[in-house]
Amino acid sequence: MSAALTDTRSAELYERAQRRIPGGVNSPVRAMRSIGRDPIFIDRGEGAEILDVDGNRYIDYVCSWGPLIHGHAYPRVLAALRETAAKGTSFGAPTAGEVRLAEMVAERMQGVEMLRMTSSGTEASMTAIRLARAATGREHVLKFAGAYHGHLDGLLAEAGSGLATQALPASPGVPESAAAQTIVIPWNDEAALRASTAGSELAAIIAEPLPANMGLVPPAPGFLELLRERADQCGALLLLDEVISGFRVARGGAQELSGVQADLTIMGKVIGGGLPAAALGGATELMRMLAPAGAVYQAGTLSGNPLAVAAGIATLELLDEDAYERLADYTARLAAGLREAAHAAGRAVQIVSATGLLTVFFSDEPIANFGQATRSDLALYARWCRELLARGVYPPPSQFEAWFPSLAHSEEQLQRTLAAAAAAFAALEQPELVA
Ligand SMILES: *Cc1c(COP(=O)(O)O)cnc(C)c1O
């Protein structure tokens, strides 16, 4: 039985929002269109749970799309914010917190000797590409289909995340000249990688070392090593976008796990602990090309904002070895339980997981690239998500986004999630009850 959600206040707000905000939301995936329903307006979060404006409570597996690795309203993060806010929220002048956060990141991320902070992952990617172009004197960038690096013009070609969710191949408004500088090849395709880097004039190869914006699609064994080798061979910089994986899958991100090191690392999400912060970092020699040390221009009114920095420091400080073990354990048990629930319902799914990340693909073939991800059963995933929401579990409302379990998720919440998932799988056999 699926309890119908009360959604009077969400519906009212959505109607008002649509008059003043395009599509009623400030970032497309929030509209929940790809799972065939209207958005849910959130009132507050408590640990691993969120409450909507109609009083419905959900176990949250979006957690702001990754930043909230300690869950919502974590007391130590809130205390750091209160203390910092009392002294003023922004100065446009350097503060001690920025130095401390830069030191903390450099200590955790191999290869990041120096970093520059921005307010969003999009800006960090944009600057990393500008820097790679300046350093190499070349223009072209190689990216992978289904990877998302933010909404900068040149990288929207065959991007994942919200763009995949809306089934848009690129975006109107992107100049042909910008798109022409981007070469897109399938993820995990060795032959395409060799062919497109042979004797090429690439400024950069940009990749998510653990792609999570087409759903989670890990690299095939040896693929990251090949990226490094081909970048070196053709004189391009390797840009690894760890906006999702950084500080999540391990203390030193996906690069710690694979041992394959970037020339420039792009960070975001967890680094801001739920406030707007992101960064790019790399070797001193390269990073010193940025203004004012060097000639490559980059700036930001709110870059290194004191509140975002305070939330980032508090968040990183709490991530010790025990935290990663707990997150790995929770995610592994969530994956195993979901697999069991799908199996019991006779449903073919591919469940892919890493520490703090998970995707349930409604597909009977393993997923190694974006093409395969798009062939999974999107209508069935949408229906399953609606059934989960009706049972108090809030999954990412798109097949092309990862689940983000947090350190706040408890054993009791795991069991409730799995019971809801089993009931949602079973409900797929029945006609849908319309709320
Ligand atoms: C979210 C994301 C970005 C963009 O970050 P924003 O802060 O949303 O601009 C870039 N790269 C990856 C891998 C992301 O997941």
Side-chain angles (χ1 to χ4, degrees), residues 220-244:
F223 194 68
L224 293 175
E225 287 78 1
L226 189 64
L227 281 186
R228 181 69 271 176
E229 182 191 310
R230 298 308 296 179
D232 289 342
Q233 207 266 330
C234 72
L237 297 192
L238 179 60
L239 277 40
L240 291 180
D241 180 348
E242 296 232 37
V243 169
I244 283 181

Side-chain angles (χ1 to χ4, degrees), residues 120-122 148-150 208 213 241 243-244 269:
S120 70
T122 298
Y148 182 67
H149 305 291
E208 297 176 66
N213 282 295
D241 180 348
V243 169
I244 283 181
K269 300 194 167 116

Side-chain angles (χ1 to χ4, degrees), residues 176-190:
E176 257 175 54
S177 56
Q181 289 169 339
T182 310
I183 295 151
V184 188
I185 64 170
W187 180 241
N188 281 329
D189 188 334
E190 281 200 16

Side-chain angles (χ1 to χ4, degrees), residues 52-400:
D52 71 18
V53 290
D54 290 289
N56 301 299
R57 185 180 271 276
Y58 311 86
I59 303 172
D60 183 15
Y61 286 98
V62 170
C63 290
S64 187
W65 301 103
L68 301 178
I69 197 164
H70 301 296
H72 295 273
Y74 194 78
R76 285 216 6 219
V77 175
L78 293 190
L81 284 172
R82 254 184 239 110
E83 199 179 299
T84 307
K87 299 197 286 183
T89 56
S90 182
F91 307 106
T95 58
E98 293 163 81
V99 184
R100 166 112 176 92
L101 184 57
E103 288 167 352
M104 288 176 74
V105 171
E107 197 235 313
R108 285 161 176 76
M109 300 295 293
Q110 262 186 8
V112 176
E113 294 172 351
M114 204 177 252
L115 60 140
R116 168 62 55 85
M117 293 200 72
T118 62
S119 297
S120 70
T122 298
E123 289 170 84
S125 293
M126 193 180 80
T127 304
I129 286 174
R130 184 177 300 150
L131 192 50
R133 286 178 170 149
T136 59
R138 301 169 173 183
E139 289 193 355
H140 288 82
V141 174
L142 180 73
K143 79 168 283 259
F144 294 93
Y148 182 67
H149 305 291
H151 58 92
L152 50 163
D153 277 354
L155 294 188
L156 282 181
E158 292 188 56
S161 192
L163 212 65
T165 302
Q166 297 209 326
L168 301 173
S171 170
V174 172
E176 257 175 54
S177 56
Q181 289 169 339
T182 310
I183 295 151
V184 188
I185 64 170
W187 180 241
N188 281 329
D189 188 334
E190 281 200 16
L193 178 60
R194 286 182 194 283
S196 53
T197 49
S200 83
E201 285 280 299
L202 290 173
I205 299 177
I206 185 167
E208 297 176 66
L210 191 57
N213 282 295
M214 48 177 145
L216 185 63
V217 184
F223 194 68
L224 293 175
E225 287 78 1
L226 189 64
L227 281 186
R228 181 69 271 176
E229 182 191 310
R230 298 308 296 179
D232 289 342
Q233 207 266 330
C234 72
L237 297 192
L238 179 60
L239 277 40
L240 291 180
D241 180 348
E242 296 232 37
V243 169
I244 283 181
S245 54
F247 316 109
R248 169 168 290 274
V249 298
R251 199 166 180 270
Q255 293 175 73
E256 177 186 315
L257 300 181
S258 70
V260 173
Q261 205 172 299
D263 296 302
L264 287 172
T265 299
I266 301 159
M267 294 160 276
K269 300 194 167 116
V270 172
I271 202 179
L275 275 86
L280 70 149
T284 303
E285 193 191 355
L286 195 54
M287 291 302 294
R288 282 179 58 89
M289 290 182 71
L290 284 177
V296 179
Y297 195 69
Q298 193 276 342
T301 302
L302 293 177
S303 293
N305 172 262
L307 289 177
V309 163
I313 291 172
T315 296
L316 293 191
E317 272 174 351
L318 290 160
L319 292 170
D320 55 14
E321 284 311 315
D322 174 63
Y324 287 108
E325 267 169 45
R326 282 193 294 125
L327 191 59
D329 180 63
Y330 187 95
T331 318
R333 286 188 304 135
L334 178 61
L338 289 172
R339 227 171 256 131
E340 200 177 306
H343 185 76
R347 185 61 61 186
V349 293
Q350 306 294 321
I351 295 174
V352 188
S353 70
T355 298
L357 292 170
L358 178 144
T359 297
V360 181
F361 285 109
F362 278 71
S363 168
D364 51 19
E365 61 166 1
I367 308 290
N369 59 42
F370 188 44
Q372 289 167 343
T374 57
R375 288 194 292 279
S376 54
D377 192 329
L378 305 184
L380 211 54
Y381 180 81
R383 169 80 194 282
W384 188 63
C385 285
R386 294 194 298 269
E387 297 289 347
L388 283 175
L389 284 166
R391 290 169 178 80
V393 172
Y394 190 103
S398 162
Q399 176 72 92
F400 304 113

